[in-house]
Amino acid sequence: MSVKPSLPKGTRDMLPETMLRREYIIDHLKEVFKKYGFAPIETPAMENLSTLTGKYGEEGDRLIFKLLRSGDFLSHADGKSLADKDSSAVLGAISNKALRYDLTVPFARFVVQNQNEIQFPFKRYQVQPVWRADRPQKGRFTEFYQCDADAVGSDSLLLELDFIRIYKEAFQKLKVPVIIKINNRKLLAGIAESLGINNRLGDFTIALDKLDKIGLQGVQKELKDRGFEAEAIEGIARIAALSGNNSEQLAQIEELVKSSEIGNRGVEELRFVLEHVDKDTPLQLDLTLARGLDYYTGAIFEVVAPDVNLGSVGGGGRYDDLTAIFGMKGLSGIGISFGLDRIYLAMEELDLFPDMEAEGTEVLFVNFGLEESLYALKLANELRDLRVKAEVYPDSAKLKKQMDFANRKNIPYVVLIGTHEIEKGSFALKHMHSGEQSNMSRVELLQHFSQNIPSEYGRH
RNA sequence: GUGGUUGUAGCUCAGUUGGUUAGAGCGCCUGAUUGUGGUUCAGGAGGUCGUGGGUUCGAGACCCAUCUUCCACCCCA
């Protein structure tokens, strides 16, 4: 009795063609990360549930994948809660682990736990999957990869500049046109303070965030429905009315928050960044950018690819005290995330992937039988030692099948070695694309391919 | 979590107001061509119509449930 093969919703298999392209993206990102002084780490797929809860806001907590305890977990559950079908009350009894929701919170845990092993400021990059119990849709998956770079142990704004440049450089390398949006939580807090609603910053920013979607009137209606005072509703109109370039907008907002100390700090930080960032950076000050994650305290970023109808392809920001939750105070951190799967979709839609043919096998040795194939294997190994991608067809299948295999896998060359060839020491090399075929000695064959070795390997 | 949408051969899809034995194209396998792929020709295999119930003399089609796909909202990468 066989089971129909299937996958949990929102998860996918990755075929070789897809993986080569994903690795292409990842390789470029890693290259940039390393260049800026980041070193790789990994953390487990699962964390203790208590590590993750409460860091992502109410909505985020709901999307955390909880893992069942092992053993007879229901016997530890509270009978009344079970009878009442109160899921949240029994949760602690039945689950104490969860799949990671992002890479930032596990990183904060990692930093505190390994503080004696690492040097501060600590800069790491991390490329791993994360899981969210969300409904999948376009560009949204249950399991997806994040490529993060974070730095902890310094509150220097030089890091903000670095991260913006990393975004710029990475997307330039991948040829994806993007806009890097920037805002600052301190400024948002200042706005809230000036409007006398600092205790409701969350609701306010959520509404503000929708400005480009539902328009000023929509946002004002929402604020009204949520019970905000007229002052706040008017204030949002002033934010919507901001005009001009980044620094002009900043000057206008400065007026609004000048009575707020934290607001002024936000303005200062933004001004510093805007002043010192590379002039050709597609950076856009966006006062409506809020971001849902609770732990951000300073600069916040979001990267969008305007040519593609997709959510953001990256996001990040400054978090002043994420490690405090794990017992290490006064350690400011900042980091950014690249959404690998969305970058992939964007690049696919914009047709930005280079030809990956060069990644595959270059020569296939046809198998005419055990003796012949062992001979071919020796020759293949010699080529492999020259960094030529070579393989011997493992079975002595029909020639038609072996040729077909080479054809389908886009292998440019096939070598035929039968008893006749072994005797004469002359082997048939066939170029699949042109169909041309010529006989070569072993040395000629090795020479032929060593000339074809890509220059990146050739010189050093 | 809310709303909509989808599921028929390996893939993409047809299938009439419910009516005999469910079709096509592509792919796959075999042969023409026992050591030469892509083209062509001939033949062949492959489906309990997502799953479970129900209505009916009769269900791929209608009803209910459930899972899945894709999409929008919420939120996010």
Side-chain angles (χ1 to χ4, degrees), chain A residues 105-139:
Chain A
V105 170
F107 172 58
R109 193 265 312 145
F110 173 99
V111 166
V112 178
Q113 202 170 328
N114 298 286
Q115 52 186 283
N116 293 326
E117 259 68 50
I118 59 181
Q119 290 79 45
F120 293 98
F122 181 61
K123 294 159 82 174
R124 78 88 173 83
Y125 72 83
Q126 191 171 353
V127 177
Q128 288 194 275
V130 302
W131 293 268
R132 296 187 187 176
D134 209 351
R135 277 215 190 153
Q137 58 176 284
K138 188 176 183 188

CSV table of all heavy atoms in Angstrom, one decimal, chain A residues 105-139:
chain,number,residue,atom,x,y,z
A,105,VAL,N,16.1,36.8,16.5
A,105,VAL,CA,15.9,36.4,17.9
A,105,VAL,C,16.8,35.2,18.3
A,105,VAL,O,17.5,35.3,19.3
A,105,VAL,CB,14.4,36.2,18.2
A,105,VAL,CG1,14.3,35.6,19.6
A,105,VAL,CG2,13.7,37.5,18.1
A,106,PRO,N,16.9,34.2,17.5
A,106,PRO,CA,17.9,33.1,17.8
A,106,PRO,C,19.3,33.6,17.9
A,106,PRO,O,20.1,33.2,18.7
A,106,PRO,CB,17.7,32.1,16.7
A,106,PRO,CG,16.3,32.3,16.2
A,106,PRO,CD,16.0,33.8,16.4
A,107,PHE,N,19.6,34.6,17.1
A,107,PHE,CA,20.9,35.2,17.1
A,107,PHE,C,21.2,35.9,18.4
A,107,PHE,O,22.2,35.8,19.0
A,107,PHE,CB,21.1,36.2,15.9
A,107,PHE,CG,22.4,37.0,16.0
A,107,PHE,CD1,23.6,36.3,16.0
A,107,PHE,CD2,22.3,38.4,16.0
A,107,PHE,CE1,24.8,37.1,16.1
A,107,PHE,CE2,23.5,39.1,16.1
A,107,PHE,CZ,24.7,38.5,16.1
A,108,ALA,N,20.2,36.7,18.9
A,108,ALA,CA,20.3,37.3,20.2
A,108,ALA,C,20.6,36.3,21.3
A,108,ALA,O,21.4,36.5,22.2
A,108,ALA,CB,19.1,38.2,20.5
A,109,ARG,N,19.8,35.2,21.3
A,109,ARG,CA,20.0,34.1,22.2
A,109,ARG,C,21.4,33.6,22.1
A,109,ARG,O,22.1,33.4,23.1
A,109,ARG,CB,19.0,33.0,21.9
A,109,ARG,CG,18.8,32.0,23.0
A,109,ARG,CD,19.6,30.7,22.7
A,109,ARG,NE,19.5,30.2,21.4
A,109,ARG,CZ,20.5,29.7,20.7
A,109,ARG,NH1,21.6,29.5,21.3
A,109,ARG,NH2,20.3,29.3,19.5
A,110,PHE,N,21.9,33.4,20.9
A,110,PHE,CA,23.2,32.9,20.6
A,110,PHE,C,24.3,33.8,21.2
A,110,PHE,O,25.3,33.3,21.8
A,110,PHE,CB,23.4,32.8,19.0
A,110,PHE,CG,24.7,32.4,18.5
A,110,PHE,CD1,25.0,31.1,18.2
A,110,PHE,CD2,25.7,33.4,18.4
A,110,PHE,CE1,26.3,30.8,17.7
A,110,PHE,CE2,27.0,33.1,17.9
A,110,PHE,CZ,27.3,31.8,17.5
A,111,VAL,N,24.1,35.1,21.0
A,111,VAL,CA,25.1,36.0,21.4
A,111,VAL,C,25.3,35.9,22.9
A,111,VAL,O,26.4,35.9,23.5
A,111,VAL,CB,24.8,37.5,21.0
A,111,VAL,CG1,25.6,38.5,21.8
A,111,VAL,CG2,25.0,37.6,19.5
A,112,VAL,N,24.2,35.9,23.6
A,112,VAL,CA,24.3,35.9,25.1
A,112,VAL,C,24.9,34.6,25.6
A,112,VAL,O,25.7,34.5,26.4
A,112,VAL,CB,22.9,36.1,25.7
A,112,VAL,CG1,23.0,36.0,27.2
A,112,VAL,CG2,22.3,37.4,25.3
A,113,GLN,N,24.4,33.5,25.0
A,113,GLN,CA,24.9,32.2,25.4
A,113,GLN,C,26.3,31.9,25.1
A,113,GLN,O,27.0,31.2,25.8
A,113,GLN,CB,24.0,31.1,24.7
A,113,GLN,CG,24.0,29.8,25.4
A,113,GLN,CD,22.9,28.8,24.8
A,113,GLN,OE1,21.9,29.3,24.4
A,113,GLN,NE2,23.2,27.6,24.9
A,114,ASN,N,26.8,32.5,24.0
A,114,ASN,CA,28.2,32.3,23.6
A,114,ASN,C,29.1,33.5,23.8
A,114,ASN,O,30.1,33.7,23.1
A,114,ASN,CB,28.3,31.9,22.1
A,114,ASN,CG,27.5,30.6,21.9
A,114,ASN,OD1,28.0,29.5,22.2
A,114,ASN,ND2,26.3,30.6,21.3
A,115,GLN,N,28.7,34.4,24.7
A,115,GLN,CA,29.4,35.7,24.9
A,115,GLN,C,30.9,35.5,25.2
A,115,GLN,O,31.7,36.4,24.8
A,115,GLN,CB,28.7,36.5,25.9
A,115,GLN,CG,28.5,35.8,27.3
A,115,GLN,CD,27.7,36.7,28.2
A,115,GLN,OE1,28.3,37.6,28.8
A,115,GLN,NE2,26.5,36.4,28.4
A,116,ASN,N,31.3,34.4,25.8
A,116,ASN,CA,32.7,34.3,26.1
A,116,ASN,C,33.5,33.7,24.9
A,116,ASN,O,34.7,33.8,24.9
A,116,ASN,CB,32.9,33.3,27.3
A,116,ASN,CG,32.3,33.9,28.6
A,116,ASN,OD1,32.4,35.1,28.7
A,116,ASN,ND2,31.8,33.1,29.4
A,117,GLU,N,32.8,33.3,23.9
A,117,GLU,CA,33.5,32.7,22.7
A,117,GLU,C,33.7,33.7,21.6
A,117,GLU,O,34.4,33.5,20.7
A,117,GLU,CB,32.6,31.5,22.2
A,117,GLU,CG,33.1,30.2,22.6
A,117,GLU,CD,32.9,29.9,24.0
A,117,GLU,OE1,31.8,30.1,24.6
A,117,GLU,OE2,33.9,29.4,24.6
A,118,ILE,N,32.9,34.8,21.7
A,118,ILE,CA,33.0,35.7,20.6
A,118,ILE,C,33.5,37.1,20.9
A,118,ILE,O,33.6,37.4,22.1
A,118,ILE,CB,31.5,35.9,20.0
A,118,ILE,CG1,30.6,36.4,21.0
A,118,ILE,CG2,31.0,34.6,19.4
A,118,ILE,CD1,29.2,36.6,20.6
A,119,GLN,N,33.9,37.9,19.9
A,119,GLN,CA,34.5,39.2,20.1
A,119,GLN,C,33.5,40.2,19.7
A,119,GLN,O,32.9,40.1,18.7
A,119,GLN,CB,35.8,39.4,19.3
A,119,GLN,CG,37.0,38.5,19.8
A,119,GLN,CD,36.8,37.1,19.3
A,119,GLN,OE1,36.5,36.8,18.2
A,119,GLN,NE2,37.0,36.1,20.2
A,120,PHE,N,33.4,41.2,20.6
A,120,PHE,CA,32.4,42.3,20.3
A,120,PHE,C,33.2,43.5,19.7
A,120,PHE,O,34.3,43.8,20.1
A,120,PHE,CB,31.7,42.7,21.5
A,120,PHE,CG,30.7,41.7,22.0
A,120,PHE,CD1,31.1,40.8,23.0
A,120,PHE,CD2,29.5,41.5,21.4
A,120,PHE,CE1,30.2,39.8,23.5
A,120,PHE,CE2,28.6,40.5,21.9
A,120,PHE,CZ,29.0,39.7,22.9
A,121,PRO,N,32.6,44.3,18.8
A,121,PRO,CA,31.3,44.1,18.2
A,121,PRO,C,31.3,42.8,17.3
A,121,PRO,O,32.3,42.6,16.6
A,121,PRO,CB,31.2,45.3,17.3
A,121,PRO,CG,32.2,46.2,17.7
A,121,PRO,CD,33.3,45.5,18.3
A,122,PHE,N,30.3,42.0,17.5
A,122,PHE,CA,30.2,40.7,16.8
A,122,PHE,C,29.4,40.8,15.6
A,122,PHE,O,28.2,41.3,15.6
A,122,PHE,CB,29.7,39.7,17.8
A,122,PHE,CG,29.6,38.3,17.1
A,122,PHE,CD1,30.7,37.6,16.7
A,122,PHE,CD2,28.3,37.7,17.0
A,122,PHE,CE1,30.6,36.4,16.1
A,122,PHE,CE2,28.3,36.4,16.4
A,122,PHE,CZ,29.4,35.8,16.0
A,123,LYS,N,30.0,40.4,14.5
A,123,LYS,CA,29.2,40.5,13.2
A,123,LYS,C,29.1,39.2,12.6
A,123,LYS,O,30.1,38.5,12.3
A,123,LYS,CB,30.0,41.5,12.3
A,123,LYS,CG,30.0,42.9,12.7
A,123,LYS,CD,31.1,43.7,12.1
A,123,LYS,CE,30.8,44.2,10.7
A,123,LYS,NZ,31.8,45.1,10.2
A,124,ARG,N,27.9,38.7,12.4
A,124,ARG,CA,27.7,37.4,11.8
A,124,ARG,C,26.7,37.5,10.6
A,124,ARG,O,25.9,38.3,10.6
A,124,ARG,CB,27.2,36.4,12.8
A,124,ARG,CG,25.7,36.5,13.2
A,124,ARG,CD,24.9,35.7,12.2
A,124,ARG,NE,23.5,35.6,12.6
A,124,ARG,CZ,22.5,36.5,12.3
A,124,ARG,NH1,22.9,37.6,11.6
A,124,ARG,NH2,21.3,36.3,12.6
A,125,TYR,N,26.9,36.5,9.7
A,125,TYR,CA,25.8,36.3,8.7
A,125,TYR,C,25.3,34.9,8.9
A,125,TYR,O,26.0,34.0,9.4
A,125,TYR,CB,26.3,36.6,7.3
A,125,TYR,CG,27.2,35.6,6.6
A,125,TYR,CD1,26.7,34.5,6.0
A,125,TYR,CD2,28.6,35.8,6.6
A,125,TYR,CE1,27.6,33.5,5.5
A,125,TYR,CE2,29.5,34.9,6.0
A,125,TYR,CZ,28.9,33.8,5.4
A,125,TYR,OH,29.8,32.9,4.9
A,126,GLN,N,24.1,34.7,8.4
A,126,GLN,CA,23.4,33.4,8.6
A,126,GLN,C,22.4,33.2,7.5
A,126,GLN,O,21.6,34.1,7.2
A,126,GLN,CB,22.7,33.5,10.0
A,126,GLN,CG,22.2,32.2,10.5
A,126,GLN,CD,21.7,32.3,12.0
A,126,GLN,OE1,21.9,33.3,12.6
A,126,GLN,NE2,21.0,31.2,12.5
A,127,VAL,N,22.5,32.0,6.9
A,127,VAL,CA,21.6,31.7,5.8
A,127,VAL,C,20.9,30.4,6.1
A,127,VAL,O,21.5,29.3,6.1
A,127,VAL,CB,22.4,31.5,4.4
A,127,VAL,CG1,21.4,31.1,3.3
A,127,VAL,CG2,23.1,32.8,4.1
A,128,GLN,N,19.7,30.5,6.6
A,128,GLN,CA,19.0,29.3,7.0
A,128,GLN,C,17.5,29.5,6.8
A,128,GLN,O,17.0,30.6,6.7
A,128,GLN,CB,19.3,29.0,8.5
A,128,GLN,CG,20.7,28.5,8.8
A,128,GLN,CD,20.8,28.0,10.2
A,128,GLN,OE1,21.1,28.7,11.1
A,128,GLN,NE2,20.7,26.7,10.3
A,129,PRO,N,16.7,28.4,6.8
A,129,PRO,CA,15.3,28.5,6.7
A,129,PRO,C,14.6,28.9,8.0
A,129,PRO,O,15.1,28.7,9.1
A,129,PRO,CB,14.8,27.0,6.3
A,129,PRO,CG,15.9,26.2,6.9
A,129,PRO,CD,17.2,27.0,6.8
A,130,VAL,N,13.5,29.6,7.8
A,130,VAL,CA,12.6,29.9,8.9
A,130,VAL,C,11.2,29.4,8.6
A,130,VAL,O,10.9,29.1,7.5
A,130,VAL,CB,12.6,31.4,9.3
A,130,VAL,CG1,14.0,31.9,9.5
A,130,VAL,CG2,12.0,32.2,8.1
A,131,TRP,N,10.4,29.3,9.6
A,131,TRP,CA,9.1,28.8,9.4
A,131,TRP,C,8.0,29.7,10.0
A,131,TRP,O,8.2,30.2,11.1
A,131,TRP,CB,9.0,27.4,10.1
A,131,TRP,CG,9.8,26.4,9.4
A,131,TRP,CD1,9.5,25.5,8.4
A,131,TRP,CD2,11.2,26.1,9.7
A,131,TRP,NE1,10.6,24.7,8.0
A,131,TRP,CE2,11.6,25.0,8.8
A,131,TRP,CE3,12.1,26.6,10.6
A,131,TRP,CZ2,12.9,24.5,8.8
A,131,TRP,CZ3,13.4,26.1,10.6
A,131,TRP,CH2,13.8,25.0,9.8
A,132,ARG,N,6.9,29.8,9.3
A,132,ARG,CA,5.8,30.6,9.8
A,132,ARG,C,4.5,29.9,9.5
A,132,ARG,O,4.3,29.5,8.3
A,132,ARG,CB,5.8,32.0,9.2
A,132,ARG,CG,7.1,32.8,9.6
A,132,ARG,CD,7.1,34.2,9.3
A,132,ARG,NE,8.4,34.7,9.6
A,132,ARG,CZ,8.9,36.0,9.3
A,132,ARG,NH1,8.0,36.8,8.7
A,132,ARG,NH2,10.1,36.4,9.7
A,133,ALA,N,3.6,29.8,10.5
A,133,ALA,CA,2.4,29.2,10.3
A,133,ALA,C,1.4,30.1,9.6
A,133,ALA,O,0.3,30.4,10.2
A,133,ALA,CB,1.8,28.6,11.6
A,134,ASP,N,1.7,30.6,8.5
A,134,ASP,CA,1.0,31.5,7.7
A,134,ASP,C,0.2,30.9,6.6
A,134,ASP,O,0.6,29.8,6.2
A,134,ASP,CB,1.9,32.6,7.2
A,134,ASP,CG,1.3,34.0,7.1
A,134,ASP,OD1,0.0,34.0,7.3
A,134,ASP,OD2,2.0,34.9,6.8
A,135,ARG,N,-0.8,31.5,6.0
A,135,ARG,CA,-1.3,31.0,4.8
A,135,ARG,C,-0.5,31.3,3.6
A,135,ARG,O,-0.2,32.5,3.4
A,135,ARG,CB,-2.7,31.5,4.6
A,135,ARG,CG,-3.7,30.8,5.4
A,135,ARG,CD,-5.1,30.6,4.7
A,135,ARG,NE,-6.0,30.1,5.6
A,135,ARG,CZ,-7.3,30.3,5.6
A,135,ARG,NH1,-7.8,31.0,4.6
A,135,ARG,NH2,-8.1,29.8,6.5
A,136,PRO,N,-0.1,30.4,2.9
A,136,PRO,CA,0.8,30.7,1.7
A,136,PRO,C,0.1,31.5,0.7
A,136,PRO,O,-1.2,31.3,0.5
A,136,PRO,CB,1.2,29.3,1.2
A,136,PRO,CG,0.3,28.3,1.8
A,136,PRO,CD,-0.3,28.9,3.0
A,137,GLN,N,0.7,32.3,0.0
A,137,GLN,CA,0.2,33.0,-1.2
A,137,GLN,C,1.4,33.5,-2.0
A,137,GLN,O,2.5,33.0,-1.8
A,137,GLN,CB,-0.7,34.2,-0.8
A,137,GLN,CG,0.0,35.2,0.1
A,137,GLN,CD,-0.9,36.4,0.4
A,137,GLN,OE1,-1.1,37.2,-0.4
A,137,GLN,NE2,-1.5,36.4,1.6
A,138,LYS,N,1.2,34.4,-2.9
A,138,LYS,CA,2.3,34.8,-3.8
A,138,LYS,C,3.5,35.4,-2.9
A,138,LYS,O,3.3,36.3,-2.2
A,138,LYS,CB,1.8,35.9,-4.8
A,138,LYS,CG,2.9,36.2,-5.8
A,138,LYS,CD,2.4,37.1,-6.9
A,138,LYS,CE,3.5,37.3,-7.9
A,138,LYS,NZ,3.1,38.4,-8.8
A,139,GLY,N,4.6,34.8,-3.1
A,139,GLY,CA,5.8,35.2,-2.4
A,139,GLY,C,5.8,35.0,-0.9
A,139,GLY,O,6.6,35.5,-0.2
